[in-house]
Amino acid sequence: MEIIEVVKKFVPNEKVLSHMPIGNGHINSTFLIMTDKANYSLQEINTKIFSDVEGLMSNIDKVTEHIKKKAVCCGKDPRRSTLNFLPNIIDGKTYVMDGHHAYRMYEFIDDVFTIEKMENPKNFYSAGLGFGEFANELSDFDASQLGETIVNFHNTASRYKDFECALEFNYNNRLADVADEVNFVKSRKAFMSLFVDKLDNGELPLRVTHNDTKINNILFDKNTGNPAVVIDLDTVMPGSYLYDFGDAIRSGATHAAEDEQNLSLVDFDLGLYEEFTKGYLEACGASLTPMEVKMLPYASIMLTLECGMRFLTDHLNGDTYFKVHRENHNLDRARTQFKLVDEMEKHIDDMTAIINKYAK
Ligand code: ADP
Ligand code: GN1
Ligand code: MG
């Protein structure tokens, strides 16, 4: 279906003035739609990755309704508190299918900005507040109502098994060129079970979390700089606060792009780490258990290692999961993540001190 046809399934009486691709996500494709009445985001959902679109959108509908209700209770504008998906005109669902293609449309929020690379530390503090508030908003949401949109998404030990499979099959004969990266991952195998084991034996609680708290997945208010809306809700499901904290640090506590090729530019910035930690723990620190606080310093190492390992696995598999835009793109991404892991590991005592300073 052409984009204009898809839009008509949601707003049949509006005239499309323009449509253009936006965003830098690795999975879905996003478009800004301008009509004679309003602006929208239209997204084509990657159905190779999210095969159960009905389950996925059911999760998102429940979570956004929950956040909207809370916003109303606190006197906040529900339309600027979470994403507002439009029902389609055929069966009222918040998506439409066209063969294997699936689309959804939601209101575009005006006067907001997003960040691809961290420049102003205040924004990272603000992101900490935003993701911490998101955790609070969902703290009373019944996790059993949500399906797992991607099974074992942050099960790092299971991700390691996928990595081992990629090594074994070596589909694209790329293994010989990545011996250093492979050894980097292999030498950290034991660490990868740290959170999974504690979640399994109940030492860590299961929470409803976002699971993809990349820094470009939060909108900030242009006028105040305050966090406005957490977006990209496909992976909201049962998880751990450690995942959301760790993934935000992975993507935001550096000045380098995720795919920077000059590794000397890839830095782990403890000042930025402190900004985010301060905001996050200010917002939701009171609800963390002592074990979550104890594990928090390892969260960014775990999530960055996991992400690097996923990029390397995809490189070995022939780039079948993440979108790539140049040769060895996934390998470049894996290398930045491993450089960050290496630096984070050297700063474990500093990270622990910062967390203890702000933990409640
Ligand atoms: P993906 O990462 O899968 O491409 P996102 O949902 O994260 O998709 O959206 C991509 C980008 O589009 C965001 O980083 C943001 O800049 C912009 N964007 C998405 N939805 C909105 C919205 N409702 N209001 C304003 N900007 C948006
Ligand atoms: C993907 O869709 P996007 O770009 O926000 C991925 C995340 C990774 C991230 C790395 C569903 O997120 O898990 O951390 O790329 N999302 C999915 O940039 O796999
Ligand atoms: Mg995104």
Side-chain angles (χ1 to χ4, degrees):
M1 227 181 329
E2 292 290 318
I3 286 185
I4 294 183
E5 268 183 78
V6 179
V7 175
K8 293 270 172 219
K9 306 275 184 235
F10 293 98
V11 286
N13 301 322
E14 297 185 27
K15 185 165 180 266
V16 177
L17 303 179
S18 68
H19 55 85
M20 66 183 99
I22 52 165
N24 292 307
H26 298 335
I27 311 293
N28 298 321
S29 303
T30 312
F31 304 87
L32 168 61
I33 308 291
M34 295 175 148
T35 76
D36 55 343
K37 300 224 172 66
N39 296 336
Y40 304 97
S41 285
L42 175 79
Q43 247 172 1
E44 176 167 5
I45 302 166
N46 185 330
T47 49
K48 271 199 231 149
I49 290 171
F50 297 108
S51 51
D52 175 14
V53 177
E54 172 75 34
L56 170 79
M57 290 312 294
S58 156
N59 274 8
I60 292 183
D61 292 343
K62 288 176 193 157
V63 165
T64 51
E65 277 315 307
H66 184 86
I67 297 175
K68 272 185 244 175
K69 270 191 205 142
K70 285 212 158 164
V72 172
C73 286
C74 311
K76 287 200 223 154
D77 178 359
R79 295 175 77 184
R80 285 184 77 84
S81 299
T82 189
L83 297 177
N84 282 283
F85 289 84
L86 278 74
N88 74 48
I89 55 162
I90 309 150
D91 56 13
K93 291 186 175 171
T94 47
Y95 64 94
V96 289
M97 296 294 302
D98 175 30
H100 292 302
H101 299 274
Y103 305 88
R104 62 190 169 204
M105 204 162 97
Y106 49 98
E107 290 173 6
F108 196 82
I109 299 166
D110 292 322
D111 297 323
V112 292
F113 66 93
T114 40
I115 297 168
E116 291 295 331
K117 241 186 344 178
M118 194 50 63
E119 263 137 29
N120 178 352
K122 278 200 185 124
N123 290 335
F124 208 29
Y125 165 73
S126 192
L129 281 179
F131 285 128
E133 278 163 15
F134 185 83
N136 283 340
E137 280 160 355
L138 296 179
S139 60
D140 59 346
F141 190 93
D142 174 11
S144 69
Q145 283 192 47
L146 297 179
E148 252 189 306
T149 54
I150 298 179
V151 177
N152 285 330
F153 190 59
H154 282 309
N155 182 331
T156 316
S158 148
R159 294 283 187 187
Y160 187 82
K161 288 194 184 132
D162 299 340
F163 164 71
E164 283 183 318
C165 280
L167 294 183
E168 195 182 327
F169 290 107
N170 187 20
Y171 287 116
N172 282 269
N173 291 317
R174 289 175 165 175
L175 197 50
D177 299 330
V178 294
D180 289 349
E181 289 77 9
V182 166
N183 288 333
F184 186 92
V185 173
K186 279 187 168 174
S187 63
R188 286 157 179 81
K189 179 180 175 185
F191 171 69
M192 298 202 202
S193 313
L194 181 66
F195 297 166
V196 182
D197 288 351
K198 289 189 165 37
L199 284 161
D200 281 351
N201 68 21
E203 281 184 84
L204 280 170
L206 204 60
R207 312 276 198 175
V208 175
T209 48
H210 184 281
N211 298 306
D212 187 6
T213 46
K214 198 154 76 167
I215 196 61
N216 62 11
N217 283 334
I218 183 164
L219 308 177
F220 300 91
D221 189 297
K222 246 184 205 159
N223 300 313
T224 61
N226 292 335
V229 178
V230 172
I231 61 170
D232 223 343
L233 304 172
D234 296 319
T235 50
V236 177
M237 56 185 166
S240 165
Y241 286 167
L242 300 170
Y243 302 156
D244 285 0
F245 179 84
D247 199 54
I249 296 294
R250 173 191 80 75
S251 58
T254 174
H255 301 96
E258 191 179 70
D259 59 357
E260 175 58 60
Q261 288 174 294
N262 180 352
L263 288 182
S264 67
L265 297 177
V266 180
D267 60 329
F268 170 56
D269 187 320
L270 267 178
L272 286 172
Y273 185 89
E274 178 154 2
E275 287 297 324
F276 185 87
T277 304
K278 195 166 118 193
Y280 188 79
L281 293 180
E282 196 175 309
C284 74
S287 53
L288 263 62
T289 66
M291 184 54 88
E292 283 173 318
V293 174
K294 192 173 166 196
M295 289 296 114
L296 216 48
Y298 302 98
S300 56
I301 301 178
M302 186 72 78
L303 272 285
T304 311
L305 178 61
E306 180 191 282
C307 192
M309 177 169 68
R310 290 174 63 199
F311 287 141
L312 183 58
T313 302
D314 200 32
H315 175 72
L316 291 169
N317 286 341
D319 308 311
T320 57
Y321 185 93
F322 297 104
K323 284 184 193 168
V324 286
H325 308 291
R326 61 176 189 244
E327 202 183 337
N328 291 338
H329 206 166
N330 272 315
L331 179 58
D332 291 339
R333 292 171 178 149
R335 285 179 171 148
T336 63
Q337 302 306 291
F338 297 153
K339 170 87 190 281
L340 285 173
V341 169
D342 188 46
E343 291 210 7
M344 287 171 186
E345 286 172 345
K346 291 180 184 136
H347 288 290
I348 188 73
D349 291 343
D350 300 312
M351 293 193 285
T352 306
I354 290 170
I355 283 160
N356 289 337
K357 182 170 159 192
Y358 295 101
K360 296 179 185 177

